């Protein structure tokens, strides 16, 4: 199921991520980032398979304010936000199973 992930920007980050009642996994990525492209299908699958977590993507080149606010220095970085706070950070491309293990606390 394509398009299960949500796109977030500097403008809608507070509304979509910080005020969300569900945990939100935000992948900080860029078009030129090879590892980001590797992890994209895994994130799409997780988004399609798990209603209990929102999976969002933020393009670091187009949204520098949010990227800087959370101190993202390398991509892909995946932050899990719950109650408006970062509760977990995953850095680097990983297989789907490894990402799901990292997210075990947030998945049913």
């Amino acid at each position: 199921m394509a398009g299960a992930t949500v796109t977030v920007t500097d403008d809608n980050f507070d509304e979509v991520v910080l005020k969300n009642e569900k945990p939100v996994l935000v992948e900080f990525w860029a078009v030129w980032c090879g590892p980001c492209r590797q992890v994209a299908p895994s994130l799409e699958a997780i988004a399609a398979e798990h209603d209990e977590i929102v999976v969002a993507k933020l393009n670091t080149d187009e949204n520098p304010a949010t990227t800087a606010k959370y101190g993202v220095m390398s991509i892909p970085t995946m932050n899990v936000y719950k109650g408006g706070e970062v509760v977990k950070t995953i850095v680097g491309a990983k297989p789907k199973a490894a990402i799901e293990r990292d997210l075990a606390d947030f998945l049913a």
Side-chain angles (χ1 to χ4, degrees):
M1 180 175 147
T5 58
V6 177
T7 299
V8 291
T9 64
D10 285 346
D11 294 335
N12 71 3
F13 193 86
D14 283 1
E15 194 62 41
V16 175
V17 178
L18 301 182
K19 295 179 181 172
N20 205 310
E21 292 181 10
K22 294 181 180 180
V24 182
L25 171 71
V26 178
E27 180 203 10
F28 291 83
W29 72 285
V31 174
W32 48 264
C33 168
C36 298
R37 286 195 298 273
Q38 288 178 318
V39 81
S42 298
L43 294 178
E44 285 289 341
I46 291 168
E49 294 165 13
H50 296 280
D51 289 341
E52 66 274 21
I53 190 168
V54 175
V55 180
K57 297 172 70 92
L58 183 129
N59 185 315
T60 56
D61 290 339
E62 296 172 0
N63 301 282
T66 303
T67 303
K69 178 178 178 181
Y70 289 100
V72 174
M73 300 305 239
S74 63
I75 54 175
T77 290
M78 294 164 270
N79 283 346
V80 179
Y81 296 82
K82 192 170 182 182
E85 300 292 326
V86 178
V87 293
K88 185 160 195 77
T89 299
I90 305 164
V91 179
K94 295 182 173 189
K96 178 178 176 248
I99 296 170
E100 286 179 320
R101 276 195 303 277
D102 286 339
L103 297 175
D105 292 345
F106 309 103
L107 303 179

